[in-house]
Amino acid sequence: MRQVLNQSDFSAAKSAPELDLAAELKTGMNQLKAESFDLETAQIDYVKMKDSEAYTNYLKLSCQLGRFELRSLQTVDQQLAFWINLYNVLTVHGIIALGIRESVQEYSGFFEKVSYHVGGYLFSLDEIEHGILRGNQKRHLFAKRPFNSQDPRRHLMLSPLDPRLHFALVCGSHSCPPIGVYQADQIQQQLDLAARSFINSSQVQLEPQQQRISISKIFDWYGRDFGSRQDLLQFLALYRQDPAEQAWLRKNKNQIQISFLDYDWRLNQSA
């Protein structure tokens, strides 16, 4: 059963500027998290959030999504910014609403069930990520596509798929990319920054002397989004900052051994 998080009596609240609604939600969520940060533990108190005025204000704003006019998103950049921001706030909202303490894996089917009403439709986290942002791709080999051939939400699918989105989406765990507020007029630069930040972090570990690299499980789960093995190494080289490492990745793309790091699903208490 879906867990729809923006159902309440706030539907008559004044609307925000439509194109900025998801960004405003993200800004509100960032404020909420900042106010719930415990200096003594250096962690976010997700449980405390529910009792705050900022959370009540966030709920009011999230209910405006039900009346959001999706046709107002006319460009790919507007669509990318809107859906990435929405996915990220819905993830954190789900953590708060469901009382998750350690990991989103505590709640069975978190990504399939946690949902928002948006523009007259329902969207789960999986439907936003795999249905819209990934162009109706399967979550894994044996899964169904999010939207069947008769689904009215199919017209919202984005194409071509932009693999940089994987560095912008947040799943609430330690191994997730950092959270940011994405703006349509800056989205291309922001996605480049997100990719560069991720690929130069501990999620991509190079060992030139051993002719191998250890990389995030994201590159395994979504391997098709990055193309062939050689395409992936070229992609990593494009965003790696060290020129010597760039050259090594390109020169040895046929010899490098690839292994995948364990994914840390523990709740990200500092983001």
Side-chain angles (χ1 to χ4, degrees):
M1 180 181 295
R2 286 184 186 264
Q3 292 289 333
V4 183
L5 304 185
N6 62 342
Q7 289 184 352
S8 72
D9 296 328
F10 297 124
S11 58
K14 182 180 179 181
S15 295
E18 289 199 334
L19 288 179
D20 297 329
L21 182 53
E24 188 168 346
L25 282 165
K26 188 64 181 66
T27 300
M29 184 61 75
N30 287 350
Q31 177 188 351
L32 176 58
K33 292 168 72 178
E35 291 180 0
S36 303
F37 190 78
D38 189 324
L39 292 175
E40 291 186 6
T41 63
Q43 292 185 339
I44 295 169
D45 187 343
Y46 285 100
V47 176
K48 177 183 175 182
M49 286 184 180
K50 266 191 173 182
D51 299 323
S52 70
E53 181 180 355
Y55 184 65
T56 301
N57 292 335
Y58 179 85
L59 287 176
K60 292 178 181 179
L61 192 60
S62 71
C63 290
Q64 295 176 18
L65 287 166
R67 304 193 312 278
F68 183 80
E69 180 50 73
L70 288 167
R71 288 177 296 183
S72 67
L73 303 171
Q74 297 183 354
T75 70
V76 171
D77 286 353
Q78 289 171 348
Q79 294 160 4
L80 278 170
F82 178 85
W83 291 110
I84 288 172
N85 284 327
L86 197 66
Y87 182 97
N88 290 342
V89 296
L90 179 55
T91 298
V92 181
H93 193 174
I95 290 170
I96 300 168
L98 298 175
I100 291 172
R101 294 178 178 270
E102 300 294 335
S103 165
V104 293
Q105 292 186 318
E106 293 171 22
Y107 189 85
S108 179
F110 181 87
F111 297 100
E112 296 96 330
K113 296 176 182 177
V114 171
S115 306
Y116 271 156
H117 278 293
V118 186
Y121 302 108
L122 273 175
F123 295 95
S124 68
L125 287 163
D126 269 357
E127 287 163 341
I128 293 173
E129 179 179 5
H130 308 295
I132 296 175
L133 291 169
R134 295 186 66 231
N136 208 32
Q137 296 295 316
K138 296 180 180 180
R139 182 177 182 183
H140 54 76
L141 182 62
F142 302 106
K144 295 181 179 179
R145 296 186 186 276
F147 306 146
N148 63 36
S149 59
Q150 305 302 315
D151 197 309
R153 297 170 297 176
R154 287 178 62 89
H155 75 281
L156 300 168
M157 300 184 306
L158 296 184
S159 182
L161 188 153
D162 189 331
R164 296 176 299 172
L165 69 90
H166 294 298
F167 313 118
L169 299 181
V170 172
C171 62
S173 77
H174 274 281
S175 288
C176 279
I179 298 176
V181 179
Y182 290 85
Q183 304 289 344
D185 61 350
Q186 303 174 43
I187 188 69
Q188 297 303 323
Q189 298 94 319
Q190 288 178 320
L191 288 175
D192 271 343
L193 181 61
R196 190 169 294 108
S197 174
F198 191 86
I199 290 171
N200 287 279
S201 74
S202 60
Q203 298 295 328
V204 176
Q205 302 173 14
L206 274 59
E207 299 178 81
Q209 292 185 346
Q210 288 75 32
Q211 285 287 92
R212 68 188 182 201
I213 60 172
S214 299
I215 57 179
S216 169
K217 196 73 173 172
I218 287 174
F219 296 107
D220 183 23
W221 291 332
Y222 304 113
R224 68 168 59 187
D225 295 358
F226 296 93
S228 68
R229 181 179 178 281
Q230 288 75 19
D231 291 336
L232 171 59
L233 293 170
Q234 291 279 21
F235 184 88
L236 296 176
L238 179 64
Y239 288 102
R240 198 72 180 183
Q241 290 179 333
D242 188 325
E245 293 177 342
Q246 292 178 358
W248 177 75
L249 286 165
R250 292 188 174 109
K251 181 179 179 181
N252 298 278
K253 61 181 182 292
N254 294 319
Q255 290 80 40
I256 294 173
Q257 297 180 8
I258 300 175
S259 62
F260 299 101
L261 300 166
D262 290 336
Y263 201 82
D264 188 350
W265 284 103
R266 289 175 301 159
L267 206 61
N268 188 348
Q269 296 279 6
S270 61

